[in-house]
Amino acid sequence: MTPRHLLTLEDFSGKELRPLIDRALVLKNERQAGVHHQQLSGKIIGMIFEKPSTRTRASFEAAMYGLGGQVMFLSARDTQLARSEPLKDTARVMSRYVDGLVVRTFGQSVVEELAAYSSIPVINALTDLHHPCQVLSDVMTMFEKKGDIASLRVAWVGDGNNMANSWIQAAGKLGFSLTLACPEGYEPDAGILAKSQAQAAKAITLGREPAQAVKNADVVNVDVWASMGQEDEQIARRAVFSRYRLDDKLMALAAANAIVMHCLPVHRGEEISESLFEAQAETIFDQAENKMHMHKAILEAFL
Ligand code: CP
Ligand code: NVA
């Protein structure tokens, strides 16, 4: 049987994504109530990471152990991938040892090729193009903090990066409105935007003005200006993005009691001011915690 992979949110309907959010909230409550889970006992996931990670790695590992399963972490540079062993061979070998692969890498084509040759589910733990598991847990956080997802006005301010692309797909599938403000030349993927706009129940709008995106928003999302792999562009990007910094003045345009979300790690004083970050820290660290609960829901569903 061909396994179902989680490579991008585009591959799922809203009706398929919504139960993951509900299940993650149940698993969160059960953990707080001390419920002991063993549903993944006897299962192993392999985690192949070609980029650094604190949260995604630790939360997937904690999620797997929390459901009674086990984890094999493979730093890509210590594997034969670093010596150019083909992905299609790696996929077929790993399929003989473990029950699922969680992969963080550069090109989306890497997770696609691994999935094409795996007889086990492949889960995208961040590529240059998407960060689907992160955005699923962020939507969970948004729901937890703000209720009814469909009525929410969500803003994205900054780079049209992997996170922005996954937010666009989430808006298309789950039916909340999304307004993005990105500088010229740093827009999200045009194909992803057009496709999600065509299927969305609420508007997904791309503009240039941070104030326009933040105005009346219930949830304001920011992320780093230079993502992993773009370290060489960091200085040039600082100049382009300086007017996209989220601070108290910009945030004052948002709806009353609006929340700020940041997937972390944060560059304080760049995409967000230190004072606004600290004022919103509770939400942002709840957001980080929710990755673990969402990853449990994902592992349970896909394994
Ligand atoms: N938010 C997130 O993916 O963090 P890590 O890079 O630490 O995994
Ligand atoms: N856009 C960021 C997200 C980090 C979790 C990056 O890709 O580095």
Side-chain angles (χ1 to χ4, degrees):
M1 204 176 74
T2 314
R4 191 102 196 252
H5 306 288
L6 201 179
L7 305 184
T8 138
L9 298 180
E10 183 52 37
D11 303 337
F12 300 87
S13 67
K15 281 203 172 77
E16 290 174 312
L17 296 177
R18 189 53 218 245
L20 287 173
I21 295 165
D22 295 336
R23 181 64 184 149
L25 288 163
V26 168
L27 287 163
K28 180 173 186 172
N29 285 334
E30 288 182 352
R31 180 170 187 266
Q32 280 159 1
V35 176
H36 187 63
H37 287 291
Q38 279 296 315
Q39 55 268 54
L40 295 186
S41 171
K43 303 264 188 202
I44 305 172
I45 51 166
M47 304 198 14
I48 301 178
F49 276 46
E50 291 197 281
K51 288 178 177 175
S53 171
T54 297
R55 279 148 290 272
T56 307
R57 175 184 175 176
S59 59
F60 262 111
E61 292 197 15
M64 195 61 189
Y65 290 124
L67 297 179
Q70 290 179 293
V71 178
M72 183 189 293
F73 183 81
L74 298 166
S75 166
R77 64 173 168 269
D78 298 323
T79 69
Q80 297 288 5
L81 282 170
R83 296 177 60 250
S84 304
E85 182 169 16
L87 291 165
K88 58 187 178 184
D89 295 350
T90 306
R92 285 177 286 185
V93 167
M94 291 304 293
S95 295
R96 305 293 178 106
Y97 301 143
V98 299
D99 303 288
L101 278 180
V102 175
V103 182
R104 170 168 286 197
T105 187
F106 293 87
Q108 184 69 12
S109 62
V110 174
V111 289
E112 284 169 4
E113 188 171 345
L114 285 169
Y117 287 90
S118 286
S119 57
I120 55 174
V122 174
I123 296 169
N124 180 354
L126 182 147
T127 61
D128 292 343
L129 200 60
H130 296 285
H131 200 358
C133 299
Q134 175 73 49
V135 171
L136 279 178
S137 57
D138 293 351
V139 175
M140 168 193 174
T141 305
M142 184 167 98
F143 178 60
E144 204 180 24
K145 304 275 174 198
K146 292 292 196 187
D148 180 29
I149 294 173
S151 69
L152 294 178
R153 287 158 299 188
V154 180
W156 177 270
V157 179
D159 192 17
N161 60 16
N162 43 10
M163 285 290 298
N165 290 331
S166 289
W167 268 105
I168 288 167
Q169 291 185 332
K173 302 288 177 180
L174 292 163
F176 52 85
S177 81
L178 178 65
T179 311
L180 302 106
C182 307
E184 193 178 349
Y186 297 87
E187 296 89 355
D189 183 273
I192 290 172
L193 179 63
K195 199 164 183 179
S196 295
Q197 280 172 328
Q199 38 179 255
K202 297 276 172 66
I204 303 176
T205 320
L206 172 63
R208 301 266 175 249
E209 294 309 315
Q212 210 172 355
V214 172
K215 195 161 188 272
N216 297 325
D218 302 297
V219 178
V220 182
N221 275 286
V222 289
D223 187 16
V224 290
W225 292 339
S227 286
M228 288 181 275
Q230 296 171 334
E231 288 77 9
D232 293 353
E233 299 173 33
Q234 191 135 15
I235 291 166
R237 281 171 174 258
R238 265 182 212 142
V240 176
F241 283 91
S242 61
R243 74 186 191 89
Y244 289 79
R245 176 175 303 116
L246 189 64
D247 56 15
D248 294 320
K249 191 169 161 227
L250 186 53
M251 197 58 196
L253 300 172
N257 304 316
I259 56 168
V260 175
M261 298 214 293
H262 193 310
C263 67
L264 301 175
V266 62
H267 286 187
R268 289 173 166 81
E270 290 195 12
E271 69 272 11
I272 186 167
S273 66
E274 166 84 31
S275 65
L276 181 59
F277 179 83
E278 289 303 335
Q280 294 279 337
E282 196 180 316
T283 298
I284 293 167
F285 291 103
D286 282 349
Q287 186 187 350
E289 176 187 329
N290 284 343
K291 285 172 69 74
M292 177 178 67
H293 307 299
M294 176 52 72
H295 294 165
K296 281 185 181 169
I298 290 169
L299 290 167
E300 202 183 58
F302 284 80
L303 262 59

